[in-house]
Amino acid sequence: MKVYQTQDIRNIALVGGGKSGKTTLAEAMAYEGKVISRRGTIDDKNTLSDYREIEQDRENSVVSSLLYSEFDGKKINIIDTPGFADFVGEVVSALHVVNTVGMVVNAQGGVDVGTELAWRNAEKLNKGVFFVLNQMDHEKANFDEAIRSLKEEFGSKVTVTQYPVNTGEDFDSIVDLIEMKLLKFPKGGGVAEITEIPADQKDKAEELQLALIENAAEGSEELMEAFFETDTLTPDQVREGIRLGLTNRAIFPLLCTSAKECVAVTRLLEFINKNVPSPDMMPDVKTTDGKEVKVDSNGPAGLFVWKAAIEQHLGEVTFFKVMSGKITEGMDLENSRTGNKERITQINITAGKNRQKVSEVVAGDIASTIKLKDTVTNDSLLDPKAPFGGFNKIVYPDPIFTIAIKPKASSDEEKMGGILKEMVKYDPSLHITSSRELRQNILEGMGEFHINTVKWYFDNVYKIEIEFLKPKIAYRETITKSARANYRHKKQSGGSGQFGEVYMHIQPYHEGMADPTDFPVRGKEEHELPWGGKLIFHNCIVGGAIDARFMPAILKGIMERIEIGPLTGSYARDIAVYVYDGKMHPVDSNEISFKLAGRHSFIDAFKNAGAKILEPICNFEVRVPEDMMGSVMTDLQNRRSIIMGMEGDGKMQIIKAKVPQAELYKYSTSLSSMTSGRGLFSYKFDEYAPVPSDVQDQLLKEYEEQQAEEEN
């Protein structure tokens, strides 16, 4: 395969809703570019993209796939992305390394929830967009209605650049508004027969062409001046306007195809070649040290890793984009994160499941390699002498679905942990933590469908039975008033015994609080607790009632019990302790005696000090269509939420609230059901607050039952 230069490379990602036909379109583009000699289909499970077992089993994309097409001297890198919102991490990774987005829309329905979600991701990352109205061969395809819905949703910058003459099963012809010609395509693919536009299409074509020219002219002042002078633009000027408009999101061209029948796909490839900007036409890339790097094949070598995966028969495959210079086989580069050297032993141009070795790739190109030692997604590999640092990293959305995971056989615990660690390595939108506090393995992802892919791999690949459980909540315990208690630990069993007695006063801690006045404070220790809050320990002993050498033991007993709160076993916090009296025995007193006496004295005082359970409260934001606000608001109120405010965002409403974390279990699934998948939400921990009395009673009851089960 030839080495393509930067100016001859185009990078696009195909995004859109599930069932819009992205994978079929990518297949057709590769076929028309002679990358493959025969097109595969989803039904036959032989497409370039969805070649993984899980994708063939589910008949939808789960991970993004890199492939390419070669057409008219240009190389078009294509990243086929999943359409379901749960796999947004794959979309974000792809968008980070392409300049332009091909938004694939089903011509039967126009804008759907998948289109909306894909648009938001492209908009957030400031990527240029062109629309591909696909499945024009379907009997229910409706071009005019689809255009109406696109313009209504995304504005007047959505610009028709071609339209179908005949939709439905007979679809084979389009009017191209740049060339102002009729293009008739053979079914099954191939180059179009080009003729003049029929008389009955002239008026429509001229009207749509004028709208195209007006939007293209906004690409630059020079084009606008040319338009004002002549009332039109040449085809080359229109292309220039589209290219500039795609660079700064000033125009969103629309094309139409039938990927299934391979109709108008060659015209799509021509459009990409002539209108989509090459990497060197885009703004310089940013680095983590604040520098800007020109996409230039003559610059210092530097690449960015946007994806890693395990491939059958190959092992770990690392996908990268060349950001600067040239990457050649056998080159040694430095990982900007670790400082370690990595050798590029092999360079592959990837077409889904197929790979072809090349000796080098240049700035702007996307390729893959194998056998890197310690390089992961978001790493940069640079020429050691490069005058810049690593490239800006992909920012993944925060997980919104949380579940606990455990193996059905305890003997598989270690094996499960190793597998999950590998999964997280290859899917950065998946998080796994082993919570010592909750005594659970907590798995977080982008939705229930995302999490269920984890179970699919355990069931079908690793053959380990796992189960999902409701995650526990990291409650906290504290006190609301002062209390005193004393406890005598006495044990005699022949020989030296154990004796220690502790008198203790406790009260809630807060900044600026006053100490009690009925006993002196002789020593004070302030402990920042790892889980938040403080423990303040005061030595108020006078007259040697307890020897100073036993005070650390008393503190240790208290700290052990703070880690296992007296109410529900949750961490306790924000407590001031005053040890003001006690007794010793000249022979039997020792550290263990005072540790136990301190622990039990603390427990007794805690239970009499208005003990309260605190729960994590989250700042919560949900974005929903205006007509669905009522059901979402009612649901939030049923979840003990406090609505903090609302604001409009176009046709959407943003609801802000404070929501107990305990009420967010499987919320993503509920919201999707209420809003037909159109709602989006995010949340972050804000504070701990007391639970209502009825909730506390229920938690105490559940803890007592759990303790009874464990004892039995």
Side-chain angles (χ1 to χ4, degrees):
M1 180 179 179
K2 66 177 283 190
V3 175
Y4 284 88
Q5 298 307 306
T6 306
Q7 66 270 20
D8 295 326
I9 294 169
R10 306 290 183 268
N11 296 320
I12 68 164
L14 296 181
V15 304
K19 309 303 180 184
S20 60
K22 299 184 298 298
T23 296
T24 304
L25 179 59
E27 189 82 3
M29 293 169 75
Y31 172 74
E32 291 287 22
K34 305 295 189 292
V35 174
I36 51 176
S37 58
R38 181 180 178 185
R39 288 186 295 140
T41 67
I42 301 294
D43 291 340
D44 291 338
K45 305 183 188 300
N46 60 351
T47 56
L48 283 174
S49 293
D50 290 358
Y51 60 89
R52 303 162 189 90
E53 186 181 352
I54 186 173
E55 294 174 317
Q56 293 175 353
D57 185 36
R58 294 182 170 185
E59 296 189 347
N60 63 262
S61 300
V62 171
V63 298
S64 57
S65 294
L66 173 64
L67 56 157
Y68 70 95
S69 182
E70 295 178 284
F71 197 82
D72 196 21
K74 304 288 191 295
K75 181 192 178 197
I76 303 171
N77 289 314
I78 305 161
I79 305 179
D80 177 22
T81 67
F84 291 98
D86 287 41
F87 306 113
V88 64
E90 296 288 330
V91 177
V92 170
S93 292
L95 295 187
H96 193 85
V97 293
V98 302
N99 305 125
T100 312
V101 173
M103 184 107 37
V104 185
V105 180
N106 190 328
Q108 301 170 56
V111 175
D112 60 12
V113 61
T115 314
E116 291 178 8
L117 295 175
W119 175 269
R120 288 174 200 162
N121 286 316
E123 185 177 43
K124 185 176 180 180
L125 294 171
N126 198 35
K127 300 295 181 178
V129 172
F130 64 87
F131 290 95
V132 181
L133 202 55
N134 192 29
Q135 301 182 31
M136 294 303 305
D137 59 307
H138 195 278
E139 60 181 8
K140 294 183 179 179
N142 189 327
F143 180 82
D144 292 334
E145 179 59 26
I147 295 299
R148 185 201 61 77
S149 68
L150 286 164
K151 286 181 175 288
E152 186 177 279
E153 187 68 30
F154 307 125
S156 60
K157 291 180 182 178
V158 176
T159 306
V160 177
T161 61
Q162 58 183 227
Y163 70 87
V165 174
N166 52 341
T167 59
E169 293 180 1
D170 295 329
F171 170 66
D172 65 357
S173 300
I174 62 171
V175 171
D176 186 280
L177 300 173
I178 299 177
E179 301 288 349
M180 284 301 279
K181 298 290 183 180
L182 176 74
L183 280 63
K184 184 173 183 179
F185 296 86
K187 289 289 182 74
V191 178
E193 175 190 344
I194 302 175
T195 59
E196 296 301 319
I197 298 174
D200 63 347
Q201 296 291 327
K202 272 284 187 182
D203 290 344
K204 180 178 181 179
E206 289 173 355
E207 180 183 349
L208 290 173
Q209 188 199 38
L210 179 60
L212 168 62
I213 289 173
E214 288 176 348
N215 283 348
E218 294 182 11
S220 71
E221 291 184 6
E222 291 80 4
L223 290 173
M224 188 64 76
E225 289 175 3
F227 175 65
F228 284 146
E229 288 176 5
T230 63
D231 288 331
T232 190
L233 295 176
T234 66
D236 285 342
Q237 288 174 321
V238 171
R239 293 189 191 98
E240 176 68 4
I242 291 173
R243 183 187 67 75
L244 293 170
L246 284 172
T247 304
N248 57 26
R249 288 178 56 85
I251 188 172
F252 307 120
L254 181 138
L255 302 93
C256 48
T257 64
S258 164
K260 181 181 177 182
E261 297 296 338
C262 217
V263 171
V265 176
T266 52
R267 179 59 187 138
L268 171 62
L269 294 171
E270 289 172 358
F271 174 86
I272 294 170
N273 279 352
K274 294 180 179 180
N275 298 273
V276 168
S278 58
D280 57 337
M281 293 178 175
M282 298 300 296
D284 295 346
V285 296
K286 305 280 180 66
T287 61
T288 54
D289 56 0
K291 296 181 179 178
E292 294 185 350
V293 178
K294 187 174 181 60
V295 183
D296 181 1
S297 60
N298 295 315
L303 65 82
F304 176 79
V305 176
W306 60 277
K307 180 181 174 62
I310 290 289
E311 298 284 353
Q312 194 174 16
H313 308 307
L314 278 177
E316 184 172 307
V317 178
T318 303
F319 296 87
F320 64 88
K321 180 180 181 181
V322 185
M323 310 300 277
S324 174
K326 298 177 182 177
I327 304 298
T328 59
E329 198 173 65
M331 175 179 279
D332 289 330
L333 298 172
E334 185 177 287
N335 187 314
S336 65
R337 174 179 59 88
T338 66
N340 296 334
K341 185 181 78 172
E342 288 277 20
R343 174 159 292 182
I344 307 298
T345 58
Q346 186 179 119
I347 301 172
N348 292 318
I349 297 301
T350 303
K353 59 188 174 184
N354 301 330
R355 287 161 187 82
Q356 186 174 348
K357 286 183 64 176
V358 293
S359 59
E360 71 173 30
V361 281
V362 307
D365 210 348
I366 302 176
S368 66
T369 188
I370 58 174
K371 297 180 180 179
L372 295 184
K373 295 180 295 185
D374 186 29
T375 295
V376 297
T377 300
N378 263 335
D379 278 351
S380 297
L381 299 183
L382 310 174
D383 182 326
K385 297 179 181 179
F388 48 80
F391 301 102
N392 280 354
K393 296 184 177 183
I394 303 164
V395 178
Y396 292 95
D398 293 327
I400 59 173
F401 190 94
T402 304
I403 202 81
I405 182 173
K406 63 174 288 190
K408 289 189 175 180
S410 57
S411 58
D412 288 328
E413 184 81 37
E414 186 175 344
K415 190 182 293 184
M416 182 194 77
I419 292 168
L420 288 171
K421 187 177 179 181
E422 285 295 294
M423 285 186 177
V424 170
K425 178 180 177 181
Y426 300 116
D427 182 359
S429 64
L430 197 66
H431 297 182
I432 181 70
T433 55
S434 183
S435 174
R436 177 172 173 265
E437 175 185 1
L438 304 178
R439 294 182 285 280
Q440 285 184 320
N441 292 307
I442 302 298
L443 183 64
E444 297 176 288
M446 300 312 302
E448 194 164 7
F449 192 20
H450 187 202
I451 294 299
N452 284 338
T453 62
V454 173
K455 190 171 191 312
W456 187 95
Y457 281 110
F458 275 101
D459 290 344
N460 295 277
V461 178
Y462 303 109
K463 309 298 182 183
I464 295 176
E465 287 191 89
I466 60 164
E467 56 183 335
F468 292 137
L469 306 169
K470 185 176 180 179
K472 298 175 184 176
I473 300 298
Y475 292 107
R476 298 287 182 263
E477 299 178 16
T478 194
I479 56 176
T480 59
K481 63 182 182 180
S482 301
R484 295 188 181 185
N486 63 284
Y487 186 87
R488 173 181 291 183
H489 175 74
K490 184 177 181 181
K491 184 177 181 182
Q492 195 72 43
S493 58
S496 297
Q498 294 179 358
F499 182 89
E501 187 170 350
V502 172
Y503 286 74
M504 186 180 297
H505 172 96
I506 67 173
Q507 66 184 51
Y509 167 78
H510 58 84
E511 293 291 340
M513 60 176 285
D515 293 325
T517 58
D518 48 350
F519 42 78
V521 175
R522 305 178 68 85
K524 177 180 178 181
E525 297 181 32
E526 188 171 306
H527 296 271
E528 294 275 357
L529 301 173
W531 50 86
K534 292 182 178 181
L535 170 71
I536 313 297
F537 181 76
H538 302 83
N539 179 356
C540 304
I541 297 296
V542 294
I546 301 175
D547 196 292
R549 64 193 171 96
F550 294 130
M551 297 306 289
I554 296 172
L555 174 60
K556 186 176 181 181
I558 294 169
M559 291 294 285
E560 285 181 356
R561 196 57 203 185
I562 273 188
E563 287 197 37
I564 308 173
L567 297 182
T568 62
S570 304
Y571 292 144
R573 57 178 283 171
D574 296 327
I575 302 166
V577 176
Y578 303 82
V579 178
Y580 65 90
D581 202 359
K583 292 181 181 178
M584 297 186 299
H585 187 277
V587 176
D588 293 342
S589 288
N590 53 28
E591 290 186 358
I592 187 66
S593 301
F594 277 98
K595 186 178 85 165
L596 293 172
R599 178 192 297 173
H600 287 286
S601 182
F602 176 76
I603 292 171
D604 292 345
F606 192 98
K607 290 182 176 178
N608 294 320
K612 196 71 178 171
I613 298 173
L614 306 176
E615 65 178 340
I617 304 295
C618 299
N619 280 329
F620 178 89
E621 198 171 281
V622 59
R623 190 174 188 273
V624 297
E626 194 168 4
D627 59 344
M628 298 175 179
M629 272 189 64
S631 58
V632 173
M633 291 274 284
T634 300
D635 179 72
L636 283 175
Q637 289 163 352
N638 291 337
R639 294 173 185 268
R640 300 192 285 118
S641 305
I642 300 174
I643 305 299
M644 305 302 292
M646 291 171 284
E647 61 184 55
D649 181 16
K651 296 180 181 179
M652 307 294 280
Q653 288 288 323
I654 298 172
I655 304 169
K656 297 181 179 181
K658 289 190 179 293
V659 186
Q661 184 182 329
E663 301 293 340
L664 289 175
Y665 178 57
K666 290 193 174 182
Y667 182 76
S668 63
T669 305
S670 299
L671 180 65
S672 180
S673 177
M674 284 185 289
T675 65
S676 301
R678 298 176 67 195
L680 293 175
F681 75 100
S682 62
Y683 64 92
K684 286 190 180 295
F685 169 77
D686 180 44
E687 62 179 351
Y688 274 94
V691 301
S693 56
D694 59 326
V695 175
Q696 176 153 327
D697 291 342
Q698 181 63 30
L699 291 172
L700 292 173
K701 181 181 177 182
E702 290 174 0
Y703 185 67
E704 288 173 4
E705 292 173 352
Q706 177 188 328
Q707 294 295 98
E709 285 181 14
E710 290 177 359
E711 289 175 4
N712 294 331

